[in-house]
Amino acid sequence: MFTAFKFLRRRASGVATERKRSPEEIASEALVVLLAEDLPGQGLFKDFYVRLTGIVRVYIEETTGLRAPEQTTEEFLRELRTRATFSAERSIQLQEFLEAADMVKYAGQQPGIEQIELSSRRAQEFIAGESTASSIRD
């Protein structure tokens, strides 16, 4: 009874209870912020890809329990295959996304606009989920 009274009193006072945001909402917001910063336009390709892959890895960790941010790409992909977390097609897309990003982050590759756009779309695919992955194609 007391709990219900507190709830009604809080509601009446205009104090809204914050709804916990989903991993998809958090990652989507982070992606929008990142894209708005236009790091590639400033020549900050490595910074862009570090943050882009970080957003995807944290999202995957939050939704699957895989310790994605703490692993190398190779370790992460091996665990992903072992667990069969995603469909074969999504696993291949994720592998291509992460390996292309690693080329920028660690090998100093300068991506073109097409590669940046593809990487951004792939990140959006994984954040949006399996249902929209088939509608977002290159």
Side-chain angles (χ1 to χ4, degrees):
M1 182 87 172
F2 180 73
T3 304
F5 173 74
K6 267 177 66 175
F7 172 76
L8 291 174
R9 184 172 170 198
R10 185 178 302 149
R11 189 169 178 201
S13 70
V15 176
T17 9
E18 286 190 39
R19 178 183 68 83
K20 184 176 177 177
R21 296 183 314 151
S22 71
E24 181 179 312
E25 291 169 322
I26 294 167
S28 293
E29 182 179 307
L31 186 57
V32 166
V33 168
L34 175 62
L35 295 175
E37 290 177 21
D38 189 28
L39 296 178
Q42 302 170 47
L44 302 172
F45 302 111
K46 181 177 179 178
D47 295 339
F48 175 75
Y49 276 91
V50 166
R51 288 184 47 202
L52 183 67
T53 57
I55 290 167
V56 172
R57 283 174 172 257
V58 168
Y59 169 76
I60 290 171
E61 179 177 38
E62 291 295 318
T63 57
T64 67
L66 287 174
R67 308 293 288 167
E70 294 87 22
Q71 296 177 334
T72 66
T73 298
E74 186 178 314
E75 292 168 338
F76 171 65
L77 292 171
R78 188 177 326 115
E79 185 173 353
L80 191 71
R81 284 189 292 271
T82 303
R83 288 190 183 192
T85 306
F86 298 116
S87 69
E89 181 181 359
R90 275 180 56 99
S91 293
I92 290 168
Q93 288 177 342
L94 181 60
Q95 178 176 349
E96 290 171 353
F97 166 76
L98 293 174
E99 288 174 349
D102 281 356
M103 293 301 294
V104 175
K105 294 179 343 186
Y106 306 117
Q109 182 185 63
Q110 297 284 315
I113 188 76
E114 299 83 20
Q115 185 179 347
I116 293 166
E117 289 174 357
L118 177 60
S119 295
S120 297
R121 278 198 316 269
R122 289 274 163 89
Q124 290 168 334
E125 282 182 14
F126 283 92
I127 292 168
E130 190 80 41
S131 61
T132 59
S134 59
S135 66
I136 306 174
R137 296 282 181 232
D138 30 299

